[in-house]
Amino acid sequence: MEPVIEFSNYSFRYKSQKEPSLSGINLKIYPGEKILIAGPSGSGKSTLAHCINALIPCSFPGEVTGSLRVGGEDPARLGVFGMSKKVGTVLQDTDGQFIGLTVAEDLAFALENDAAPQQEMFEKVQRVAQVVDLEHLLHHAPGELSGGQKQRVSMGGVMVDDVDILLFDEPLANLDPATGKRTIALIDEIMKLRKMTVIIIEHRLEDVLYRDVDRIVVVNDGRIIADGKPDELLCEEVLGQQGVREPLYLAAIRHAGGTLRPEDHPQHIETMNLAPYRDLVRSWFTATPPLVCSNTNPPVLEVENLSFSYAPGEPVLREISFAVRKGEMLSIVGKNGAGKSTLSALICGFYQPTEGRILLNGQDIAPLSIKERGERVGLVMQSPNQMISKPMIMEEVGLGLTVRGVPADEVRERVEKTLKICGLYPMRNWPVSALSFGQKKRVTIASILVMEPDIMILDEPTAGQDYRHYTEIMEFLRRINRETGITILMITHDMHLMLEYTDRAVVIADGQLITDDTPARVLTDESIADRAYLKKTSLYDLALRCGIGEPSEFVERFIAYERAENQ
């Protein structure tokens, strides 16, 4: 069988850079394969994708050596438009792909460009809408949709051209766990239904492996480090060495002293042969001390019977009540559209509650202006584009200090220190426009961290981050939390973050608070997980399959072990 994509000794150097971003790439992808491309930020994953869809060299010029064939054609010769007929690209930031005023218009955009007959256009849009489950949303504006729905619109928009290859650039970055799970399932169904080739670029390895992939290609420093079947690569150490987080159940087996074997099929916890590891896991559980967490500080933030509606009679939040103690790290979780971001906007004063009140250190903050609240509560928003206002990184990160009259020398010193923590120091003199989505995210976090607020709210702090940068940011947040007593609230879809770095989880579903408990108990409670669109941790399945009767206790001991290892 001839490969549908073939890189032969392929190298690429951007025009503005001295060193190549890709070096000596040899890669064959065959029709009908599903390939996961993994690696740390800046490793060359997105550059590889841009070569396949002809953005390189057509939109991003540079020096190319070697050869590349996609569907037997040279992408550079066909150009971006020509390759769009063969390769459908779904971007990480779905908002950047929308063209039409309605979902139907957006799906039809490529057909309109081709001057397709109107009847054919209607039929194709209807057919694609059925495949991606959008029939009931065709007359909605894309901006009104949830993250998962937007993802499906982007998928439909590239499928109307009957492409042979679907290319996904971090499709899970902005989705809640259950929606991400359904997205992976939908990609799998579409691939089999349409007999397509699928390439997924993603940091969240365990979530992508919810459905089988044929191969994992590990990229770093512009080179292919490994290319193999998942069952084989998961048993090696190459993923961890290259900054890719292995599935939690495999980490637990390794902690217990198990040596993973490909023949036990470790790709899925549900079907993995656990017989060789069961006794080891049970012994490890017995020997590992439980997690001890206690915070007796007074409340710094109290939310009392909070309700809010954007429109009369349509409540977004209903009677939300919880308290956060000084120095806590707390996660606020729930599905897309549950009201988590609205809650943070109310705390910051962007909206006024319909009912209820918010107390800061025991005082009602209703009289405080947004600026006054901003000096005590720092907010890192979900979309970096909503926060960035300066062209250069140094200016952006130092803006809050500058407008408050901090001396220039002190601004530079504090900005440089923060950029080092966030892994952005080498790019300190870059324009923000040159950064990836994940790098922009780190800039916005840095712009808040530099202010040293009393309370920090982070809306999806790790979206788009590889494991190394995720760890750097979260370890920094945990360190300043311990050393300075700053209180940190994190609105997140990242269940790893919730387990590893927070001791409490406030769970919101359909505008109501449905539980306030430890992350371990939340992620081992099937009814809570289902209602809030969370995903039960794979440690839950491992505990049950190893005969451990208290899965939440197993998860808490795993957390305690990992925290002790990382100290």
Side-chain angles (χ1 to χ4, degrees):
M1 185 187 296
E2 288 293 314
V4 67
I5 298 172
E6 183 174 9
F7 289 86
S8 298
N9 296 317
Y10 187 92
S11 297
F12 175 75
R13 180 179 62 80
Y14 286 101
K15 188 176 181 180
S16 59
Q17 295 183 348
K18 292 182 179 179
E19 299 298 324
S21 293
L22 296 175
S23 299
I25 299 294
N26 288 290
L27 176 65
K28 295 180 180 180
I29 298 174
Y30 293 90
E33 276 195 304
K34 187 200 289 182
I35 304 296
L36 168 60
I37 299 179
S41 293
S43 61
K45 305 187 304 299
S46 294
T47 301
L48 204 63
H50 291 160
C51 295
I52 293 171
N53 60 24
L55 285 176
I56 289 175
C58 299
S59 297
F60 303 116
E63 181 183 320
V64 174
T65 59
S67 67
L68 167 62
R69 290 289 181 271
V70 178
E73 301 279 357
D74 179 0
R77 188 186 67 80
L78 282 187
V80 175
F81 179 74
M83 286 309 299
S84 72
K85 303 299 180 183
K86 294 178 176 290
V87 181
T89 305
V90 179
L91 300 173
Q92 176 184 355
D93 183 4
T94 50
D95 289 331
Q97 275 188 272
F98 295 139
I99 300 294
L101 298 178
T102 66
V103 169
E105 286 182 24
D106 207 79
L107 295 180
F109 180 71
L111 301 173
E112 288 180 314
N113 272 349
D114 291 341
Q118 193 175 62
Q119 188 58 37
E120 177 189 334
M121 203 181 303
F122 286 142
E123 290 172 359
K124 275 198 169 185
V125 166
Q126 192 66 34
R127 190 163 64 246
V128 168
Q130 287 177 342
V131 172
V132 295
D133 191 24
L134 288 171
E135 291 173 282
H136 61 297
L137 295 173
L138 286 175
H139 299 295
H140 287 243
E144 297 174 353
L145 306 183
S146 70
Q149 291 166 339
K150 288 178 179 179
Q151 195 72 260
R152 298 206 302 272
V153 174
S154 294
M155 290 167 66
V158 298
M159 286 172 59
V160 293
D161 262 339
D162 296 322
V163 293
D164 300 317
I165 302 164
L166 276 181
L167 175 61
F168 295 89
D169 188 359
E170 296 196 34
L172 307 180
N174 300 309
L175 303 183
D176 62 58
T179 303
K181 192 174 176 180
R182 284 199 291 273
T183 297
I184 292 298
L186 180 61
I187 291 171
D188 198 61
E189 290 165 14
I190 290 171
M191 173 190 169
K192 292 171 181 174
L193 179 70
R194 303 279 292 266
K195 297 181 173 57
M196 306 173 88
T197 303
V198 169
I199 302 166
I200 301 174
I201 298 170
E202 183 55 68
H203 295 302
R204 288 161 59 174
L205 178 69
E206 182 173 339
D207 294 328
V208 175
L209 294 181
Y210 170 63
R211 287 286 188 264
D212 286 342
V213 302
D214 295 296
R215 284 152 52 204
I216 300 174
V217 177
V218 183
V219 179
N220 203 356
D221 296 325
R223 301 178 183 276
I224 293 178
I225 305 299
D227 179 356
K229 295 182 181 300
D231 284 337
E232 295 170 356
L233 284 184
L234 288 170
C235 294
E236 300 173 7
E237 296 184 357
V238 65
L239 291 168
Q241 290 170 348
Q242 303 304 321
V244 180
R245 178 68 183 264
E246 69 176 342
L248 290 185
Y249 62 93
L250 297 183
I253 291 172
R254 290 190 198 273
H255 293 337
T259 302
L260 298 168
R261 306 180 308 176
E263 57 266 32
D264 292 323
H265 303 296
Q267 182 174 180
H268 305 296
I269 181 59
E270 296 85 1
T271 54
M272 181 181 177
N273 173 29
L274 290 175
Y277 316 104
R278 192 170 287 117
D279 290 342
L280 287 171
V281 171
R282 289 170 63 89
S283 298
W284 175 83
F285 170 68
T286 304
T288 302
L291 184 67
V292 178
C293 300
S294 62
N295 186 318
T296 57
N297 292 333
V300 64
L301 179 71
E302 296 167 88
V303 176
E304 296 182 350
N305 300 313
L306 197 70
S307 296
F308 177 75
S309 301
Y310 288 105
E314 298 178 14
V316 177
L317 296 174
R318 288 173 291 183
E319 298 183 355
I320 302 286
S321 294
F322 65 93
V324 185
R325 295 184 183 276
K326 180 175 174 56
E328 272 198 288
M329 288 185 72
L330 177 142
S331 52
I332 301 175
V333 298
K335 67 178 179 180
N336 290 94
K340 305 183 302 297
S341 296
T342 300
L343 176 60
S344 70
L346 287 165
I347 294 170
C348 293
F350 302 149
Y351 306 123
Q352 295 302 315
T354 309
E355 294 178 14
R357 61 179 188 160
I358 301 167
L359 307 180
L360 190 63
N361 292 318
Q363 295 189 338
D364 192 335
I365 60 174
L368 298 182
S369 67
I370 293 175
K371 178 180 181 296
E372 288 169 329
R373 293 194 202 192
E375 291 171 353
R376 303 170 71 180
V377 181
L379 173 66
V380 180
M381 299 173 76
Q382 182 174 353
S383 171
N385 297 327
Q386 292 177 296
M387 291 185 67
I388 292 170
S389 58
K390 289 292 183 179
M392 306 301 290
I393 291 175
M394 288 283 288
E395 287 182 281
E396 177 61 35
V397 176
L399 179 62
L401 299 175
T402 301
V403 298
R404 283 165 174 80
V406 176
D409 289 347
E410 184 182 342
V411 170
R412 172 169 286 276
E413 181 182 339
R414 286 169 62 177
V415 166
E416 289 184 350
K417 178 183 175 183
T418 305
L419 290 176
K420 287 174 183 175
I421 297 292
C422 295
L424 292 166
Y425 187 73
M427 305 168 222
R428 61 194 179 280
N429 295 318
W430 286 23
V432 175
S433 60
L435 302 182
S436 68
F437 183 88
Q439 289 166 336
K440 286 180 183 178
K441 189 79 176 182
R442 298 210 303 278
V443 167
T444 61
I445 291 173
S447 70
I448 297 299
L449 291 180
V450 78
M451 298 293 296
E452 301 172 357
D454 295 322
I455 297 176
M456 185 154 44
I457 302 174
L458 298 108
D459 196 348
E460 295 295 348
T462 57
Q465 301 297 304
D466 64 27
Y467 184 50
R468 181 170 66 86
H469 288 121
Y470 156 97
T471 303
E472 284 178 359
I473 289 168
M474 294 312 304
E475 287 297 327
F476 172 69
L477 290 173
R478 181 152 69 182
R479 189 170 75 248
I480 65 167
N481 167 258
R482 288 173 176 169
E483 293 176 358
T484 69
I486 188 172
T487 304
I488 297 176
L489 279 65
M490 287 177 281
I491 298 169
T492 184
H493 293 316
D494 190 330
M495 299 298 96
H496 291 178
L497 181 157
M498 174 181 165
L499 279 171
E500 289 178 300
Y501 291 99
T502 65
D503 298 322
R504 273 177 63 207
V506 169
V507 184
I508 297 176
D510 302 318
Q512 294 178 301
L513 191 153
I514 60 172
T515 193
D516 179 350
D517 209 337
T518 67
R521 283 198 282 268
V522 168
L523 293 182
T524 53
D525 186 319
E526 192 158 356
S527 62
I528 293 293
D530 288 347
R531 188 176 170 191
Y533 278 47
L534 307 178
K535 184 169 72 72
K536 292 195 314 295
T537 172
S538 57
L539 297 170
Y540 172 85
D541 296 300
L542 177 64
L544 289 184
R545 293 195 62 208
C546 288
I548 296 169
E550 294 293 335
S552 63
E553 183 65 25
F554 178 80
V555 174
E556 288 183 348
R557 294 189 185 199
F558 174 85
I559 297 166
Y561 183 92
E562 290 241 314
R563 288 184 182 178
E565 287 280 294
N566 292 332
Q567 283 180 351

